[in-house]
């Protein structure tokens, strides 16, 4: 499986294209407990849908430091490595 950070650029581009990056960043910053529930829902749904991106998203949501790093990446592209 790929690292979650390998998908960040693609996710950020998609969110910016639909102008959802600010909303998603705000949700991820404020919704830490909900992010964990979201990760569990993705893992549960993983029995029906297999995807590296979904697994990476669930892993990112589960790890609070990775989630904060992704929010920084959304807000300031290139700020996180």
């Amino acid at each position: 499986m790929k690292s979650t950070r390998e998908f960040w650029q693609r996710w950020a581009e998609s969110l910016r294209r639909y102008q959802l990056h600010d909303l998603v960043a705000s949700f991820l910053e404020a919704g830490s407990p909900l992010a964990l529930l979201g990760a569990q829902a993705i893992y549960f749904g993983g029995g029906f849908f297999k995807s590296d991106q979904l697994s990476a998203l669930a892993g990112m949501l589960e790890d609070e430091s990775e989630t904060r790093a992704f929010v920084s990446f959304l807000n300031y592209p290139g700020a996180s490595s």
Side-chain angles (χ1 to χ4, degrees):
M1 184 177 89
K2 294 182 176 181
S3 165
T4 59
R5 292 183 183 221
E6 293 181 39
F7 295 105
W8 286 11
Q9 186 66 39
R10 189 179 319 158
W11 294 345
E13 287 172 1
S14 294
L15 291 170
R16 286 188 186 101
R17 183 178 321 119
Y18 296 108
Q19 298 179 359
L20 295 172
H21 60 286
D22 289 331
L23 178 68
V24 170
S26 296
F27 172 75
L28 290 174
E29 286 176 332
S32 184
L34 294 177
L36 185 58
L37 288 174
Q40 295 306 310
I42 292 170
Y43 284 132
F44 177 75
F48 304 107
F49 305 103
K50 293 288 184 191
S51 167
D52 285 344
Q53 283 198 57
L54 282 178
S55 296
L57 178 61
M60 185 208 48
L61 291 173
E62 209 170 35
D63 184 348
E64 191 174 336
S65 64
E66 280 293 296
T67 302
R68 282 193 307 256
F70 181 65
V71 169
S72 287
F73 183 80
L74 275 178
N75 291 331
Y76 310 102
S80 311
S81 54

